[in-house]
């Protein structure tokens, strides 16, 4: 089964 | 003062066919360099970036940077009323974006500016193992082929070929295209077909699509005008195996 991921980890601020 | 004039409405129209399918509201940011927008959808699955350089416009005036917040459906409704040979003028008054179509008649529409719920996201820089271009029509056709079988598609690339693959209850489909580009690594990820289809609504922006694929990484899909005066770029989060 596949689950949809989000982009949240790519938008994390340092 | 902000004023931008285009000799036809097609770039805006095709861009917002996709943008209005993905996000409800956007913020145009204008300055002397041109007009830009960055937006992330509510589910944080698709990010989009539009960049239209000042030189793309027949006339472009922007004395000081402006932030123009609008509802994308309302803007699309107006753009749909344009004719392909209309000139388009964008300007602002107190509280409205003014869109004027000049053709047989001069037609002026106003859209109320809105308060944004979210600040526009800044595009992340992602390092990819691959980047290659394929014809837009070929990619769109592949997605339509896949749609017979599945709601998701596996996109992969190696040094020779770009491949799209899907399997479903009643069969499977495999598309291969020799890309002729310099790709040194192999990469493969799975994506929602529906989300890719939303991006491909911008089908008159560019004849080619540039794709960047990694392994279980977001897809970057970029449409660039030949003149490099305009770019519409998307980032799509992958589906990954549980």
């Amino acid at each position: 089964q596949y689950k949809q991921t989000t982009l949240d980890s790519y938008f994390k601020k340092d | 003062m902000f004023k931008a004039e285009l000799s036809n409405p097609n770039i805006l129209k095709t861009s917002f066919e996709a943008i209005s399918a993905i996000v409800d509201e956007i913020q145009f940011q204008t300055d002397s360099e041109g007009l830009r927008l960055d937006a992330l959808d509510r589910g944080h699955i698709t990010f989009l970036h539009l960049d239209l350089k000042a030189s793309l416009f027949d006339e472009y005036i922007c004395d000081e940077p402006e932030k123009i917040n609008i509802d994308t459906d309302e803007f699309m409704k107006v753009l749909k009323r344009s004719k392909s040979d209309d000139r388009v003028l964008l300007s602002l008054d107190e509280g409205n974006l003014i869109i004027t179509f000049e053709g047989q008649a001069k037609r002026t529409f106003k859209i109320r500016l809105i308060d944004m719920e979210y600040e526009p996201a800044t595009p992340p820089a992602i390092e990819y193992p691959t980047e290659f271009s394929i014809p837009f029509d070929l990619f769109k056709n592949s997605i339509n082929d896949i749609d017979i079988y599945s709601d998701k598609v596996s996109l992969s690339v190696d040094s020779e070929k770009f491949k799209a693959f899907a399997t479903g209850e009643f069969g499977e489909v495999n598309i291969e295209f020799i890309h002729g580009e310099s790709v040194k690594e192999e990469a493969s990820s799975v994506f929602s077909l529906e989300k890719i289809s939303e991006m491909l609504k911008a089908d008159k922006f560019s004849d080619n699509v540039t794709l960047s694929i990694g392994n279980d990484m977001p897809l970057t899909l970029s449409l660039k005008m030949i003149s490099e005066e305009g770019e519409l770029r998307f980032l799509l989060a992958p589906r990954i195996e549980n």
Side-chain angles (χ1 to χ4, degrees):
Chain A
Q1 285 302 310
Y2 284 80
K3 67 165 186 191
Q4 177 65 57
T5 62
T6 71
L7 294 169
D8 287 345
S9 62
Y10 291 90
F11 283 94
K12 268 184 192 153
K13 301 222 161 61
D14 298 325
Chain B
M1 184 189 177
F2 168 72
K3 192 178 160 194
E5 185 176 341
L6 280 169
S7 57
N8 74 60
N10 298 337
I11 279 295
L12 281 177
K13 207 170 168 178
T14 199
S15 299
F16 275 84
E17 289 281 1
I19 293 169
S20 66
I22 297 168
V23 293
D24 302 329
E25 49 189 38
I26 55 102
Q27 178 175 89
F28 279 124
Q29 300 192 351
T30 71
D31 59 22
S32 58
E33 311 257 297
L35 188 150
R36 275 177 309 282
L37 72 88
D38 292 307
L40 187 60
D41 74 340
R42 282 185 189 278
H44 294 195
I45 296 166
T46 308
F47 171 79
L48 60 91
H49 172 79
L50 176 69
D51 190 351
L52 301 177
K53 298 205 184 311
S55 57
L56 171 74
F57 296 87
D58 292 348
E59 192 184 357
Y60 185 91
I61 302 166
C62 185
D63 301 344
E64 55 184 43
E66 300 271 6
K67 291 180 176 178
I68 306 167
N69 302 338
I70 52 167
D71 182 292
T72 55
D73 281 340
E74 297 304 314
F75 192 42
M76 191 63 229
K77 279 185 208 163
V78 173
L79 290 174
K80 276 190 176 153
R81 298 300 306 152
S82 66
K83 298 190 173 67
S84 58
D85 53 357
D86 278 344
R87 299 187 74 74
V88 186
L89 282 84
L90 300 177
S91 60
L92 288 172
D93 70 8
E94 202 61 44
N96 297 286
L97 173 66
I98 305 168
I99 304 130
T100 306
F101 299 133
E102 286 186 3
Q104 202 175 18
K106 180 175 167 182
R107 297 179 291 149
T108 303
F109 300 81
K110 288 189 179 188
I111 300 179
R112 271 188 237 308
L113 303 182
I114 56 170
D115 292 326
M116 289 276 283
E117 280 181 54
Y118 308 100
E119 277 293 300
T122 309
I126 300 178
E127 297 236 345
Y128 279 100
T130 72
E131 185 183 290
F132 56 99
S133 291
I134 58 173
F136 184 94
D137 285 349
L138 179 130
F139 189 55
K140 186 154 190 172
N141 266 320
S142 305
I143 295 304
N144 291 339
D145 290 342
I146 297 286
D147 193 38
I148 299 174
Y149 294 95
S150 182
D151 62 357
K152 63 180 187 295
V153 56
S154 162
L155 300 180
S156 59
V157 65
D158 61 24
S159 59
E160 192 187 3
K161 290 174 184 163
F162 159 71
K163 296 176 194 169
F165 172 77
T167 180
E169 199 179 340
F170 300 106
E172 61 181 55
V173 54
N174 201 351
I175 297 144
E176 295 188 350
F177 175 71
I178 297 172
H179 52 63
E181 300 241 4
S182 162
V183 174
K184 295 195 173 60
E185 293 184 45
E186 292 180 21
S188 176
S189 293
V190 173
F191 301 98
S192 154
L193 209 62
E194 184 193 356
K195 300 291 177 192
I196 293 182
S197 298
E198 288 172 351
M199 303 171 184
L200 298 183
K201 286 175 188 258
D203 58 1
K204 292 180 186 69
F205 201 96
S206 171
D207 292 339
N208 288 296
V209 48
T210 302
L211 302 175
S212 295
I213 296 173
N215 292 304
D216 288 338
M217 282 174 67
L219 169 72
T220 288
L221 185 157
S222 165
L223 305 172
K224 271 187 194 157
M225 296 175 72
I226 298 169
S227 60
E228 304 223 327
E229 289 168 321
E231 182 185 14
L232 178 58
R233 192 168 67 232
F234 302 94
L235 195 62
L236 172 63
R239 284 193 179 181
I240 59 170
E241 216 163 353
N242 260 343

